[in-house]
Amino acid sequence: MSAQAGTQALVGDARRKRRRGVNGGSGAFYAFISPWLIGTVLLTLFPLGYALWISFTNWDGISPSQNWIGLENYTDALAEPQMWASLQRTGLLAIVIVPVTICGGLGLALLLNEKVHWRSGLRMLVYLPAIVPPVAATLTWKLLFDRDSGAINGFLAIFGADAVSWMSGNTVFIVLMVVMLWGIGAGVLINLAALQDVPAELHEAARLDGANAFSAFWHVTLPSISPVLLFQVITTTIGVLQTFVPALLLSPANGPAAITAVPEANRIFMVDVYAQYFAYSRYGYASAMLWLFFLAILVVTIITFKIGGRTVFYAVDLSEEGKQK
């Protein structure tokens, strides 16, 4: 009996120690992530909830009263042709910018991964535009594309071409795409890091099997870096869909009048939302547009994950890793 009692005492002591360890670990875990949790609640969840409340009112941003109007802002937004037009322009921008950014960044990374002279200097030059503030880059391109004094029309004049009004009509949408592609160097840096993480033994095995350069890239390199590519597709898509500052800065007007003077071709979704907020004082309507856009981006992200998850190769079997835990 005394031996059994001693065993039970040891087991109970071990359980108490394990419980204290778990509780202590949980406390340290929540203490470390508390800044992020507090920031998420105050800077993300609270604004989301407040915008959701505003979207059910006709608040103009100034008057003290906020009258409840239910789903009227949502039905008005869905019936508004201007909103669908701005959404189509935003979608077109994403369709062009995302593939060019991903493929262009990967192509440049493959070139810069080769052993060439001045490789470090070339990498720095490619990445340099990515660290230029977007405002400075946009204003610089705005000057370059100026009809009368811009360098682009000056270059075209050498070949006898007439001056092009880049900052008006549909051509300003081309300027917007050029501005957004200027920062492609950020993707190049990420791809370079992924390429250098591909095991050299895999390429050596592919060469021994008789694979040429394209086969080695297609069957070895591409699967190995596919998780990084999926990450870039998702973050680039979200970033392009939320584009706002470059389109606003390419407006021909300055100051508060710039928002209403944005050319129709550059009136993408976030520009339209900003105009509804601060030019037309339709806070409730603009909040409803933002919530509809948030849901649309969420759907696009989920679809991208579903489609990308079938083609991405993970070195670790996530399902088996979950079983082990």
Side-chain angles (χ1 to χ4, degrees):
M1 290 295 291
S2 60
Q4 184 177 2
T7 303
Q8 290 177 349
L10 289 174
V11 171
D13 186 53
R15 287 178 177 173
R16 284 193 295 274
K17 287 182 179 179
R18 187 166 57 250
R19 193 178 300 116
R20 283 199 299 271
V22 170
N23 292 336
S26 299
F29 170 77
Y30 286 111
F32 276 110
I33 68 167
S34 59
W36 180 85
L37 285 176
I38 294 172
T40 300
V41 171
L42 294 180
L43 302 177
T44 301
L45 296 182
F46 176 74
L48 277 174
Y50 186 67
L52 182 62
W53 160 256
I54 294 298
S55 69
F56 294 116
T57 71
N58 62 351
W59 192 41
D60 59 4
I62 299 176
S63 59
S65 61
Q66 300 174 352
N67 299 320
W68 178 272
I69 58 172
L71 296 174
E72 185 176 327
N73 284 325
Y74 289 91
T75 55
D76 288 348
L78 292 173
E80 177 60 52
Q82 176 62 38
M83 191 206 74
W84 289 107
S86 63
L87 193 61
Q88 288 176 359
R89 294 186 201 100
T90 307
L92 176 61
L93 192 66
I95 290 172
V96 174
I97 297 298
V98 174
V100 174
T101 300
I102 302 300
C103 296
L106 179 59
L108 286 172
L110 288 170
L111 292 175
L112 294 174
N113 198 39
E114 297 295 326
K115 295 179 180 178
V116 296
H117 292 298
W118 306 300
R119 184 170 63 174
S120 299
L122 291 173
R123 289 176 178 177
M124 185 187 68
L125 286 177
V126 170
Y127 186 68
L128 194 60
I131 62 176
V132 175
V135 173
T138 305
L139 293 178
T140 301
W141 280 108
K142 189 176 181 180
L143 292 174
L144 291 173
F145 278 102
D146 185 82
R147 184 183 186 282
D148 299 320
S149 58
I152 304 299
N153 276 346
F155 177 76
L156 294 177
I158 297 175
F159 303 98
D162 296 331
V164 179
S165 299
W166 293 103
M167 305 309 297
S168 61
N170 291 329
T171 53
V172 72
F173 192 71
I174 298 175
V175 179
L176 177 62
M177 289 192 289
V178 171
V179 171
M180 298 188 66
L181 291 174
W182 184 238
I184 198 173
V188 174
L189 194 68
I190 296 173
N191 284 322
L192 263 176
L195 289 173
Q196 292 174 4
D197 200 36
V198 178
E201 296 81 6
L202 296 180
H203 283 289
E204 185 65 25
R207 277 194 293 270
L208 292 175
D209 288 341
N212 55 28
F214 178 77
S215 296
F217 168 76
W218 188 259
H219 295 291
V220 176
T221 304
L222 205 55
S224 299
I225 66 172
S226 56
V228 177
L229 293 177
L230 177 62
F231 165 78
Q232 289 189 76
V233 168
I234 291 173
T235 55
T236 306
T237 301
I238 294 174
V240 172
L241 291 177
Q242 296 178 345
T243 299
F244 168 65
V245 173
L248 180 64
L249 292 177
L250 292 177
S251 171
N254 297 315
I259 186 60
T260 54
V262 173
E264 190 69 16
N266 274 3
R267 200 174 176 84
I268 52 182
F269 197 87
M270 291 308 297
V271 172
D272 198 13
V273 169
Y274 188 84
Q276 297 296 337
Y277 268 117
F278 302 107
Y280 309 127
S281 297
R282 302 176 69 187
Y283 278 59
Y285 179 80
S287 297
M289 289 179 67
L290 278 182
W291 260 97
L292 290 173
F293 197 46
F294 169 73
L295 295 176
I297 292 177
L298 185 64
V299 170
V300 170
T301 304
I302 292 173
I303 292 175
T304 306
F305 260 120
K306 292 290 184 184
I307 297 176
R310 299 173 183 173
T311 56
V312 170
F313 170 78
Y314 293 101
V316 178
D317 190 340
L318 298 179
S319 59
E320 292 297 329
E321 188 182 41
K323 291 177 181 177
Q324 292 177 3
K325 292 180 178 179

